Amino acid sequence: MIINIHGFSSSGRNAKFSFLEEVFPEEKIMSPDLAVEPMKAIEQLKTYIEEYRTEPILLVGSSLGGFYAYYLSALYRCHAVLLNPSLLPFATLMDCLGNNVNYNTGEPFVFTMEHVKQLRDLFQHVYLEGDPALLHAFVCEDDERIDHRQTEKMLTGCATYRAFATGRHRFDDLGRITNDIRSIYRTLTIYGKSIMKE
């Protein structure tokens, strides 16, 4: 099962979800609209993971969703694909404080310092606690929001790390990673185990 985790000010019907549907037409793909409040978003995602914990799960997260995937991978020991992940979201989202509008739905929302604090708390809870062998990162070097060099340092030793010269933060041309993500999921479903807690 695949869980698509959208980024800041986006929705479950993002471009990554459409891409995953094309790549995995036979697979179950969950792509929820997440709460703005980080702790609530994490609880939403935990609900899906707990529901399907008896089968292999692949998390696919972009930007802020990449951080959530990073966090949940450490917590549940499941594989995660990170697309231009914002691994320090409490820093990279500071310029988004205040009123915002969801890119996909057009709905207004407010991003607050309490949200920033929650992101910092989540980061401190799992930083260096996860297994790099479960992480698969794909980044664009021309990302206008995330410094790919910082991402590379933080993900030293991860199972997959591929950098592309272009693509920007949106990660244009997702087709470039089709074979990679198919291979990751195939290995997971053939050799992977469920994440059922003992």
Side-chain angles (χ1 to χ4, degrees):
M1 200 267 285
I2 300 169
I3 302 178
N4 177 53
I5 310 176
H6 69 75
F8 182 81
S9 192
S10 186
S11 75
R13 294 288 167 178
N14 62 359
K16 282 72 176 183
F17 175 62
S18 298
F19 166 70
L20 291 170
E21 282 192 313
E22 292 178 6
V23 175
F24 302 105
E26 305 299 323
E27 298 298 331
K28 187 185 306 175
I29 303 172
M30 312 301 292
S31 189
D33 291 337
L34 299 176
V36 174
E37 184 177 339
M39 292 299 189
K40 288 184 178 178
I42 288 294
E43 288 306 314
Q44 285 178 262
L45 293 166
K46 282 182 178 180
T47 298
Y48 286 102
I49 294 175
E50 292 288 348
E51 182 177 355
Y52 295 98
R53 68 189 185 281
T54 57
E55 57 187 86
I57 292 175
L58 178 64
L59 307 174
V60 179
S62 54
S63 191
L64 175 59
F67 170 71
Y68 289 156
Y70 173 89
Y71 175 89
L72 292 165
S73 174
L75 205 62
Y76 287 97
R77 295 190 57 77
C78 50
H79 283 261
V81 169
L82 314 177
L83 306 175
N84 283 337
S86 177
L87 298 180
L88 300 171
F90 49 89
T92 55
L93 290 176
M94 283 296 291
D95 63 345
C96 295
L97 285 169
N99 296 321
N100 292 270
V101 176
N102 187 288
Y103 303 133
N104 289 354
T105 67
E107 295 180 6
F109 67 95
V110 180
F111 186 65
T112 70
M113 279 302 299
E114 172 58 26
H115 297 150
V116 171
K117 179 182 180 301
Q118 289 182 17
L119 290 170
R120 186 182 298 111
D121 290 345
L122 289 169
F123 174 83
Q124 292 174 344
H125 184 229
V126 298
Y127 183 52
L128 300 179
E129 295 296 323
D131 182 351
L134 300 175
L135 302 176
H136 311 271
F138 300 89
V139 304
C140 299
E141 294 178 346
D142 64 345
D143 188 328
E144 69 277 17
R145 290 201 60 86
I146 309 296
D147 186 341
H148 70 92
R149 295 166 297 185
Q150 181 66 44
T151 302
E152 184 176 9
K153 288 179 182 177
M154 292 182 67
L155 295 178
T156 298
C158 67
T160 307
Y161 187 89
R162 287 194 65 194
F164 299 93
T166 61
R168 299 181 66 77
H169 189 60
R170 287 174 51 86
F171 208 111
D172 296 327
D173 193 8
L174 286 162
R176 294 177 291 180
I177 66 169
T178 296
N179 291 336
D180 296 278
I181 200 167
R182 278 181 177 155
S183 178
I184 291 165
Y185 192 66
R186 185 182 306 116
T187 301
L188 175 62
T189 54
I190 293 175
Y191 302 107
K193 298 179 181 179
S194 72
I195 57 169
M196 178 178 284
K197 297 177 182 177
E198 299 178 355

